Amino acid sequence: MEYSKNPFTPTFGSIPPFLAGREHILRDINRGFINGPGDPNLSTIFTGARGTGKTALLSLLSETALEHGWIAANVSAMPGMLEDIIERTKEAADSYLSQPHARINGVQIGPVGIDWTYAQEVQGNWRTRMNGIFKQLEKHDIGLLITIDEVVMSRKLV
């Protein structure tokens, strides 16, 4: 009797060797990465019971985005999520984003010294800061995939 390994590997978030029944999702979102902004496949919500592979699917889609030259910011729906999106995006796009730079403000001859002024990071609300990041990524023709895991949907009866 030949034994085959069970493809179900409940490792919560790790990408299993086979994602059963996800071919059409992967195909559609792959098409979205190729088509770029405006493709309806780039705005998707996955729902399902715990343990059905949503987190693993998000992980795989993040890897697929990277293969298409995108970057990915993966976060969980929890307090501070918006700031986490900015931080994860900056981390993933570090080599593409301009960094605050220093400028010589003054020179002292004796004892020798230099006075530096450092440019401050862009301030503003979340949308203003993200728009700044989007503009910098656009210069490099790089897309950003944002995945949000553990979103809790609730229905209130009226």
Side-chain angles (χ1 to χ4, degrees):
M1 178 173 174
E2 187 176 320
Y3 173 78
S4 63
K5 186 175 179 182
N6 185 343
F8 178 66
T9 54
T11 52
F12 306 103
S14 296
I15 302 170
F18 180 72
L19 283 175
R22 303 292 194 265
E23 296 81 13
H24 69 285
I25 294 171
L26 296 172
R27 181 194 65 235
D28 291 347
I29 293 183
N30 196 39
R31 186 178 306 130
F33 290 139
I34 293 167
N35 293 337
D39 190 291
N41 293 304
L42 294 176
S43 180
T44 305
I45 297 174
F46 302 114
T47 62
R50 276 197 184 275
T52 57
K54 298 178 300 298
T55 300
L57 181 59
L58 292 177
S59 296
L60 180 60
L61 292 174
S62 293
E63 287 184 7
T64 304
L66 294 174
E67 291 169 5
H68 285 282
W70 289 48
I71 60 169
N74 307 307
V75 301
S76 293
M78 56 188 345
M81 178 187 76
L82 293 179
E83 288 305 314
D84 197 24
I85 290 172
I86 287 181
E87 293 305 314
R88 299 285 177 111
T89 301
K90 286 179 180 179
E91 181 179 57
D94 184 53
S95 59
Y96 304 105
L97 301 178
S98 61
Q99 302 299 319
H101 54 278
R103 186 180 72 198
I104 295 177
N105 198 31
V107 177
Q108 182 179 338
I109 302 297
V112 177
I114 298 176
D115 185 25
W116 296 92
T117 301
Y118 294 93
Q120 291 187 347
E121 202 171 316
V122 177
Q123 299 298 309
N125 64 19
W126 186 84
R127 181 176 291 193
T128 301
R129 291 181 287 145
M130 280 304 294
N131 281 341
I133 291 172
F134 291 147
K135 286 177 185 175
Q136 291 184 60
L137 293 177
E138 187 176 42
K139 289 177 188 177
H140 298 282
D141 197 29
I142 295 173
L144 169 64
L145 171 68
I146 300 172
T147 67
I148 304 172
D149 201 5
E150 298 297 329
V151 175
V152 177
M153 308 282 282
S154 63
R155 292 184 185 178
K156 292 186 178 183
L157 299 176
V158 181

